Amino acid sequence: MTGLFKTRLQRHLREMAKYLRLVFNDFFVFALLFLMGGLGYGYSNMLKTLKTGYWWAPVVALLVLVIVAQIGRFATLIEDADRVFLLPKERAMHAYLVAARRYSQGLAQATQVIAVFLLAPFMSVTMAWPVLSLVELGLAQIILKDALLRLDLASAYQVTGQTRMNRWEFKWLLSIVVLAAGLWTLPLVAVGLALILDIAVAVWYVQHWQKQQIRWREQIKIEDNRMLGIYRFFNMFTEVPMLAGTIKRRRYLDGLFKLIKPRHDKFYLYLYSRGMVRGSEFSGLVVRLTVIGMLLLYFVRGEWLPVILAALFIYLIGFQLLPFFQQYEDIVFTHVYPILPAQRLKSFVTLITLILSVAALLLWLVVVVANPHLMTAGITLLVEVVEVWYLARIYTPQRLARSIENRA
């Protein structure tokens, strides 16, 4: 069974590598470096304004560490067909699940170490913690995460009359108790509590797993939800075939379509607008990218970094909307309507212009609120206007015109 997990893991890593190459392209990596540099510079400047003795410093540290402790889920790579074909091998699945937990440890523990490393300067300044105490807290964080992943492993088995031990409220409560004890007393106390928790879960698991059945349906659902979250992240940057969009009526937006006159040349504008509003795939992508961009721009300071970030998110939104042009290619009636391809393209360009303009306006408003420099707001507005004009009026028609010619 360990070999089965290795085979699935290799296939999974190849799939992730394919999408990561599309996400971390040269332009995005360049912008990410600027973002990390800007955040690091802002963090450094913030630390200079702090001093020792703030009552809220341990609270902030506790909140950050508890949230980070929940990052890194148990990746089983279990598939829907396993509940049928692997049921006779249920006892042998123990080795499979142990291998899955061992793989899950990698990224999860790396996240914990990075979080404690980034939080260390803040705690050193506001709480006057020495390096040894920070190392002890980091050790407690690692052991705590190991215990939480062991809880996920133990909860894969069904015990009669007992609820799952890895319920989110239970994991949050354990994290708060362990880390609060270390922050308000001594870090070694958190290390001791985390060790006791980890050992207790390990002993329970050894005593029970051979007598219990696997929660097949639940584990399949958990793994599907985990992969859905990953695919949704990739879908913000590229098209993901595994994601199936849902349709929602959204009657409260019907008033917007009254602005589109019922004329022959407005047919595709109405169709694309309705599809954009009712469908969750592309509309959700636009909303997610816009909200993420607004949040980043609110916390980022500087003269040029907000300009670069605003331009990056407008580019991402515009680029990801291009496949929507082919949304109705498989519907035969769209090919028999007496509408010229040029009218269809013009309608799509109009919709893209409207969407990018609204997104650009929202991003610019956040820049104005978050940055006191008028020059930054002015340059951002100028760059956004030029970028929206180029993406919607130049790049999109040329790109889609070539696509139509190739399909013909």
Side-chain angles (χ1 to χ4, degrees), residues 154-155 157 159 162 165 199-209:
S155 298
Y157 290 87
V159 180
Q162 179 176 320
M165 295 186 296
I199 293 173
V201 178
V203 170
W204 184 95
Y205 177 72
V206 171
Q207 293 177 347
H208 288 83
W209 76 265

Side-chain angles (χ1 to χ4, degrees), residues 274-307:
R274 276 289 187 185
M276 179 62 65
V277 169
R278 290 187 174 185
S280 62
E281 183 179 355
F282 288 95
S283 61
L285 184 146
V286 172
V287 172
R288 287 193 299 270
L289 284 177
T290 304
V291 171
I292 292 174
M294 292 171 67
L295 289 175
L296 286 177
L297 288 173
Y298 182 79
F299 291 105
V300 169
R301 300 293 187 271
E303 295 183 2
W304 292 102
L305 187 58
V307 179

Side-chain angles (χ1 to χ4, degrees), residues 12-29 233-234 237-238 319:
H12 173 73
L13 293 178
R14 284 196 299 269
E15 183 184 23
M16 295 299 102
K18 179 185 70 174
Y19 285 113
L20 287 174
R21 283 195 299 268
L22 297 174
V23 172
F24 291 97
N25 53 52
D26 294 340
F27 185 72
F28 184 73
V29 170
F233 170 76
F234 290 147
F237 303 92
T238 186
F319 185 77

Side-chain angles (χ1 to χ4, degrees), residues 62-362:
L62 176 64
L63 181 63
V64 172
L65 291 175
V66 169
I67 293 175
V68 172
Q70 315 309 315
I71 299 176
R73 301 170 66 180
F74 184 35
T76 61
L77 305 181
I78 288 179
E79 300 175 359
D80 189 39
D82 291 349
R83 60 182 176 178
V84 176
F85 294 100
L86 294 184
L87 186 61
K89 293 284 188 179
E90 191 167 26
R91 290 292 172 264
M93 283 294 293
H94 168 69
Y96 179 98
L97 293 174
V98 171
R101 178 183 173 274
R102 192 180 303 118
Y103 162 71
S104 304
Q105 287 273 19
L107 186 59
Q109 297 294 12
T111 304
Q112 310 307 311
V113 173
I114 293 173
V116 174
F117 178 78
L118 294 177
L119 195 61
F122 172 80
M123 299 179 65
S124 179
V125 171
T126 59
M127 301 171 61
W129 273 30
V131 175
L132 180 60
S133 297
L134 294 172
V135 173
E136 292 170 350
L137 182 66
L139 180 62
Q141 186 80 6
I142 292 173
I143 298 174
L144 174 63
K145 185 58 187 178
D146 183 78
L148 295 181
L149 284 175
R150 203 180 297 276
L151 275 175
D152 292 331
L153 174 61
S155 298
Y157 290 87
Q158 183 172 352
V159 180
T160 305
Q162 179 176 320
T163 59
R164 290 188 297 111
M165 295 186 296
N166 68 336
R167 295 172 63 90
W168 68 268
E169 57 268 26
F170 187 55
K171 294 169 71 173
W172 276 75
L173 179 61
L174 288 175
S175 303
I176 291 174
V177 171
V178 171
L179 294 172
L183 288 170
W184 272 274
T185 57
L186 293 173
L188 283 177
V189 176
V191 175
L193 291 176
L195 271 175
I196 293 173
L197 174 63
D198 202 9
I199 293 173
V201 178
V203 170
W204 184 95
Y205 177 72
V206 171
Q207 293 177 347
H208 288 83
W209 76 265
Q210 294 181 349
K211 308 172 186 178
Q212 308 302 331
Q213 296 178 338
I214 296 177
R215 303 174 188 262
W216 286 105
R217 293 181 182 275
E218 188 173 284
Q219 290 303 308
I220 292 170
K221 182 179 179 181
I222 292 174
E223 180 62 18
D224 288 345
N225 289 336
R226 188 187 73 86
M227 291 303 302
L228 180 61
I230 296 175
Y231 288 141
R232 281 177 175 170
F233 170 76
F234 290 147
N235 193 45
M236 292 191 298
F237 303 92
T238 186
E239 187 176 357
V240 180
M242 278 70 68
L243 285 181
T246 58
I247 303 299
K248 296 183 179 180
R249 176 66 176 86
R250 295 192 173 99
R251 191 183 302 274
Y252 54 89
L253 295 177
D254 284 351
L256 297 176
F257 303 104
K258 295 179 180 179
L259 301 175
I260 303 176
K261 297 180 180 180
R263 297 205 315 256
H264 179 79
D265 59 334
K266 301 293 183 180
F267 167 80
Y268 266 106
L269 180 59
Y270 185 86
L271 179 63
Y272 281 131
S273 300
R274 276 289 187 185
M276 179 62 65
V277 169
R278 290 187 174 185
S280 62
E281 183 179 355
F282 288 95
S283 61
L285 184 146
V286 172
V287 172
R288 287 193 299 270
L289 284 177
T290 304
V291 171
I292 292 174
M294 292 171 67
L295 289 175
L296 286 177
L297 288 173
Y298 182 79
F299 291 105
V300 169
R301 300 293 187 271
E303 295 183 2
W304 292 102
L305 187 58
V307 179
I308 296 173
L309 282 178
L312 170 65
F313 277 94
I314 292 175
Y315 164 77
L316 290 175
I317 294 172
F319 185 77
Q320 296 304 317
L321 286 177
L322 292 179
F324 187 63
F325 182 72
Q326 311 292 343
Q327 183 78 2
Y328 304 103
E329 281 292 306
D330 296 333
I331 300 178
V332 65
F333 297 106
T334 60
H335 297 278
V336 298
Y337 289 150
I339 299 176
L340 296 176
Q343 291 178 335
R344 175 190 174 192
L345 182 58
K346 181 180 178 181
S347 297
F348 186 78
V349 168
T350 301
L351 180 64
I352 293 296
T353 304
L354 179 61
I355 293 174
L356 292 182
S357 299
V358 173
L361 178 61
L362 293 174

